[in-house]
Amino acid sequence: MKHPYDIERDMRYLQLLAQSFPTVADASTEIINLQAILNLPKGTEHFLADIHGESEAFQHVLKNASGNIKRKVNDLFGNELRESEKKELCTLIYYPEQKLELVKAQEEDINDWYHITLHQLVKVCRDVSSKYTRSKVRKSLPSDFSYIIQELLHERAEDSNKTAYVNVITDTIVSTGRADDFIIALAHVIQRLAIDQLHILGDVYDRGPGAHIIMDTLERYHSWDIQWGNHDILWMGACAGNDACICTVIRLSLRYGNLSVIEDGYGINLLPLATFAMETYGDDPCTEFIPKVCDGLDEKTIRLASLMHKAIAIMQFKEEAKLFEKHPKWNMKDREMLNFINYETGECTIDGKPLKMSSNHFPTIDPKRPNVLSKGEEELLEKLRNSFRLSEKLHRHIRIQLNHGCMYSVYNNNLLFHASVPLNEDGSLKEVEIYPGRKYKGKELMHNIGIMIRTAFQSDSDAKERRYAIDYFLYLWLGKDSPLFDKAKMTTFERYFFKDKAIYHEEKGVYFKLRDNEEVVDRILDAFDVKGTNRHIINGHVPVHVVKGENPIKANGKLLVIDGGFSEAYHQETGIAGYTLVYHSRGLQLVQHEPFTSAADAIKRGTDIKSTTQIVEMSAHRMLVADTDKGVELNQQIKDLEELLYAYRHGYINEREPKK
């Protein structure tokens, strides 16, 4: 008898599948469940990029789901509630613990408030849970209130037969003194269900004071992925033991007057650096090294930070040069900047021209061997290296990034990466040598860089390859053909020692020049096997200069730049606080944010991130799970189960009654 299956070929797999579904009834029930899931609305995806340690703004965007919760409250309560009441309800959902304390201090009839608020929260929760299966909603509920919340979500007070039942539940919650705990639980469930999948397109680290707090938040978050950014890679390099990366991480923290991540977050001891800096540069004004952000710092602290800043910067330049010498194929000998200084005249040769430097005080540099660390610098670097090596929390956070991340990802016809794909001048994919004798381009390039990054953290890797992988973090940070940098050079040295801003220029790679070209974007999407008519590249890295009229939507809508712009350092430059991309069942929406004040302000005055929404693309029909990557996976599971049913019914495999 002819049948559509190759049972003999698939027998081992079918026997494994039969262990999970031992009877016809079990397999049939699962097919019914999966078919039902396929017809649910697609879950909401959120895309964020370039968070740069701004933990308060990041957490607020997660709590308000980029304005999605506010929109739902407006839809549900339209004219029923005053604007101030809707604002209060939103704030309660975002910050339930803190808001409850304020309410209880002000509210005269707290029991009445509890009853009203509980009904409102249940209504919001019912709305955000409506696109999920009961099973998925149940798994997201806190165990102590799971049954009660399920009952309230699926029973309505408007049903005359259930009015008393629903009211008694809310009455009892209040009378037993569990109202606060229940409100907090409901608020967290609403936050959890408002975002189905979070995509972070790189750069958790840098500038802001709370990168470690963001990583703690992500560690607890239900479903997320990350496409590593240049700053994430820099911290990975420091964690792996790359001395140049260690120096750069510390230098950047000092540059932005932010040591909380290093000292408080990861317990890295900077006292040896402070001691060395005072002893070595105590008589140096170090004016070039005054932190860019000095808010809240007294004069003494600023002075010490400037000394430390210069000390670590000089060490960074030396350590970079060592790696440039070690790896000539990187073609970066022209960035061994200490080699180009005339230490007698205080001039440095830049692009063939001798230029006067702003200062010429380098007590740790031997002009004959400028890239060799002094004895004091060697001892200091050993201490810093040990601190990074022994930071358990840093290593845990980097492991989390490795577990959830990669260089790129394709998700529901969207190609996600942080910065760029190296291109030739004609827009074709550029071949890049990432290891002696190993050249790749496009998808293979990104994939193999990802493998190399992981090699640096595998103890069973080949020793030579592991050492190279650790070194390569520096190239990924500042190398011309790095997909995370993609510029002609990084002019860190020039920015410190020269006032002429013309020499700060960092020529961007071809990708950034051609990313508005639809043909080039299509070529990249094809190279990464991204299918579908509505396909996009989504990336961050480069702030969108809205004040200058730049549009984040490029290449006829096929490329979206969503640099989060969370970092305060960018706000003046861009005019906004960045973007969030929301991809729900009805299409793609770009949400533009105004700068966030603070969580305290949001709790006390109900302020929210003011957001304006730009519709990028609306679907002709409401997208279902069947239209997503998950839908493809579920359809394959259904086909496998149908083959198992055939095997049961035609005697290839015997049903097995489960043990009672």
Side-chain angles (χ1 to χ4, degrees):
M1 177 182 165
K2 196 172 179 182
H3 56 76
Y5 306 111
D6 190 340
I7 302 290
E8 285 78 11
R9 182 196 66 192
D10 300 336
M11 183 56 75
R12 285 189 68 190
Y13 173 66
L14 291 171
Q15 286 171 336
L16 283 171
L17 197 60
Q19 292 178 17
S20 300
F21 306 98
T23 68
V24 166
D26 290 329
S28 301
T29 301
E30 184 65 6
I31 290 171
I32 295 165
N33 289 340
L34 295 177
Q35 287 284 12
I37 292 170
L38 286 171
N39 287 281
L40 285 170
K42 171 194 175 298
T44 301
E45 297 170 63
H46 272 59
F47 302 79
L48 299 177
D50 301 273
I51 304 159
H52 291 309
E54 299 293 343
S55 54
E56 280 203 354
F58 169 74
Q59 288 176 321
H60 190 80
V61 166
L62 289 193
K63 290 173 184 294
N64 82 350
S66 296
N68 196 34
I69 289 173
K70 189 176 182 179
R71 286 192 290 275
K72 288 190 178 295
V73 167
N74 281 329
D75 291 345
L76 287 167
F77 300 104
N79 299 322
E80 288 181 38
L81 299 177
R82 296 185 302 230
E83 285 303 315
S84 60
E85 291 171 325
K86 286 187 281 191
K87 187 189 284 186
E88 290 285 301
L89 181 59
C90 286
T91 306
L92 181 66
I93 294 169
Y94 307 156
Y95 303 98
E97 297 92 339
Q98 300 91 329
K99 190 65 182 174
L100 274 165
E101 293 303 313
L102 290 177
V103 169
K104 286 190 291 186
Q106 297 166 358
E107 190 62 52
E108 293 178 6
D109 190 345
I110 193 67
N111 283 352
D112 184 54
W113 182 87
Y114 279 143
H115 280 91
I116 294 167
T117 303
L118 282 169
H119 283 291
Q120 289 171 344
L121 288 173
V122 167
K123 200 169 179 180
V124 178
C125 193
R126 190 179 292 136
D127 187 81
V128 296
S129 66
S130 62
K131 60 170 66 176
Y132 304 115
T133 63
R134 288 196 179 191
S135 170
K136 186 165 182 172
V137 172
R138 187 170 62 250
K139 288 173 185 173
S140 68
L141 302 178
S143 55
D144 49 345
F145 291 119
S146 178
Y147 175 75
I148 299 170
I149 294 175
Q150 286 180 72
E151 289 297 291
L152 290 174
L153 290 181
H154 303 301
E155 304 294 352
R156 297 175 183 263
E158 301 89 75
D159 182 348
S160 57
N161 296 320
K162 293 288 181 108
T163 302
Y165 175 72
V166 172
N167 287 337
V168 163
I169 291 175
T170 53
D171 289 345
T172 310
I173 290 168
V174 175
S175 65
T176 55
R178 298 302 309 278
D180 282 10
D181 293 333
F182 194 73
I183 285 169
I184 292 165
L186 269 179
H188 288 156
V189 170
I190 292 167
Q191 290 179 27
R192 155 71 180 81
L193 295 175
I195 300 175
D196 190 42
Q197 181 73 20
L198 174 65
H199 307 287
I200 296 176
L201 283 84
D203 282 357
V204 167
Y205 290 93
D206 186 38
R207 294 184 177 87
H212 57 296
I213 299 168
I214 294 167
M215 288 306 304
D216 283 339
T217 302
L218 290 172
E219 190 174 9
R220 299 185 299 269
Y221 203 72
H222 58 273
S223 186
W224 65 282
D225 54 82
I226 182 168
Q227 293 70 51
W228 304 312
N230 50 317
H231 286 279
D232 304 316
I233 289 295
L234 183 67
W235 276 82
M236 283 185 193
C239 182
N242 183 309
D243 291 340
C245 292
I246 289 171
C247 293
T248 307
V249 159
I250 297 170
R251 179 186 64 78
L252 283 167
S253 298
L254 287 159
R255 185 171 175 79
Y256 290 97
N258 163 37
L259 296 177
S260 58
V261 176
I262 287 181
E263 292 186 311
D264 305 333
Y266 294 127
I268 290 163
N269 183 13
L270 293 183
L271 184 60
L273 173 60
T275 305
F276 174 83
M278 286 189 291
E279 290 172 353
T280 309
Y281 297 96
D283 58 347
D284 188 335
C286 293
T287 50
E288 304 97 335
F289 294 89
I290 295 169
K292 277 186 167 290
V293 181
C294 298
D295 298 345
L297 301 179
D298 58 43
E299 196 173 320
K300 192 175 176 183
T301 305
I302 293 169
R303 171 67 181 151
L304 179 58
S306 304
L307 299 177
M308 293 166 70
H309 190 179
K310 182 167 185 177
I312 204 70
I314 301 303
M315 289 170 66
Q316 175 194 317
F317 299 140
K318 290 181 178 185
E319 288 303 306
E320 286 177 351
K322 282 183 190 175
L323 291 180
F324 299 157
E325 282 287 336
K326 185 179 176 183
H327 302 289
K329 285 199 170 184
W330 291 1
N331 294 318
M332 295 195 68
K333 284 180 69 69
D334 62 325
R335 297 307 300 163
E336 295 175 21
M337 302 308 296
L338 302 182
N339 290 350
F340 306 131
I341 299 174
N342 183 324
Y343 293 92
E344 290 182 4
T345 63
E347 292 178 325
C348 182
T349 302
I350 304 287
D351 297 328
K353 298 176 186 174
L355 299 172
K356 193 73 176 173
M357 297 171 66
S358 57
S359 66
N360 186 30
H361 184 241
F362 301 109
T364 68
I365 294 179
D366 177 356
K368 294 177 183 174
R369 301 187 303 161
N371 298 317
V372 176
L373 294 178
S374 69
K375 190 172 182 298
E377 287 174 326
E378 275 185 5
E379 291 171 355
L380 171 60
L381 188 55
E382 180 60 30
K383 290 173 183 174
L384 293 172
R385 195 186 298 125
N386 281 336
S387 266
F388 274 83
R389 189 185 295 130
L390 295 172
S391 174
E392 190 278 330
K393 189 170 184 176
L394 173 61
H395 284 261
R396 190 177 83 245
H397 282 174
I398 295 303
R399 280 197 303 274
I400 292 166
Q401 284 231 6
L402 289 166
N403 291 340
H404 285 262
C406 53
M407 285 292 294
Y408 79 98
S409 185
V410 178
Y411 209 98
N412 292 333
N413 300 333
N414 293 314
L415 172 60
L416 319 179
F417 54 82
H418 176 66
S420 83
V421 175
L423 301 175
N424 296 310
E425 291 294 333
D426 63 356
S428 59
L429 295 168
K430 186 175 185 176
E431 199 170 54
V432 178
E433 187 173 47
I434 66 168
Y435 188 88
R438 298 179 198 168
K439 295 181 179 180
Y440 307 98
K441 58 184 178 181
K443 183 180 179 180
E444 287 73 28
L445 173 65
M446 299 293 240
H447 176 71
N448 281 282
I449 287 175
I451 291 173
M452 185 181 290
I453 287 165
R454 287 188 163 83
T455 299
F457 296 96
Q458 303 302 324
S459 56
D460 60 349
S461 302
D462 175 83
K464 184 182 175 185
E465 292 204 4
R466 189 178 182 214
R467 185 63 255 171
Y468 183 87
I470 293 170
D471 290 352
Y472 198 70
F473 281 113
L474 182 66
Y475 188 85
L476 287 171
W477 166 246
L478 49 56
K480 181 181 177 182
D481 290 327
S482 164
L484 294 172
F485 182 62
D486 200 6
K487 293 181 186 177
K489 58 185 175 182
M490 187 179 285
T491 56
T492 305
F493 179 88
E494 290 89 331
R495 290 169 190 269
Y496 283 123
F497 293 109
F498 301 94
K499 292 189 171 74
D500 183 4
K501 291 185 178 181
I503 64 171
Y504 301 172
H505 180 64
E506 298 171 347
E507 186 70 24
K508 289 178 182 174
V510 178
Y511 173 83
F512 298 107
K513 297 171 185 174
L514 297 182
R515 63 181 179 171
D516 211 3
N517 185 314
E518 189 176 352
E519 187 182 331
V520 171
V521 169
D522 274 328
R523 193 179 299 152
I524 295 170
L525 288 165
D526 289 341
F528 282 81
D529 300 316
V530 184
K531 311 295 184 190
T533 51
N534 296 324
R535 57 183 190 165
H536 312 88
I537 292 174
I538 304 170
N539 56 227
H541 187 59
V542 181
V544 179
H545 294 83
V546 176
V547 288
K548 296 179 182 175
E550 188 182 355
N551 192 336
I553 304 170
K554 302 180 186 294
N556 199 24
K558 290 185 177 179
L559 189 145
L560 306 168
V561 183
I562 59 155
D563 185 313
F566 288 99
S567 177
E568 201 173 325
Y570 286 140
H571 292 174
Q572 198 170 354
E573 188 181 336
T574 61
I576 60 166
Y579 296 95
T580 311
L581 186 67
V582 181
Y583 187 20
H584 48 63
S585 58
R586 301 198 185 276
L588 279 162
Q589 290 182 316
L590 197 63
V591 183
Q592 180 180 304
H593 304 298
E594 298 296 315
F596 181 57
T597 51
S598 68
D601 198 41
I603 296 158
K604 193 173 179 179
R605 299 197 297 120
T607 56
D608 204 345
I609 293 180
K610 290 180 181 162
S611 306
T612 52
T613 301
Q614 188 174 351
I615 295 170
V616 178
E617 203 169 84
M618 295 308 284
S619 181
H621 67 280
R622 194 172 193 191
M623 287 185 69
L624 306 176
V625 172
D627 302 313
T628 67
D629 293 346
K630 185 69 178 175
V632 173
E633 187 185 317
L634 295 181
N635 270 311
Q636 185 56 55
Q637 288 178 29
I638 289 169
K639 286 177 183 174
D640 294 342
L641 287 162
E642 286 172 344
E643 186 175 358
L644 180 62
L645 280 180
Y646 186 94
Y648 280 144
R649 286 168 175 159
H650 291 83
Y652 291 97
I653 299 177
N654 293 325
E655 290 184 82
R656 185 169 44 84
E657 289 298 328
K659 292 178 182 178
K660 295 185 179 178

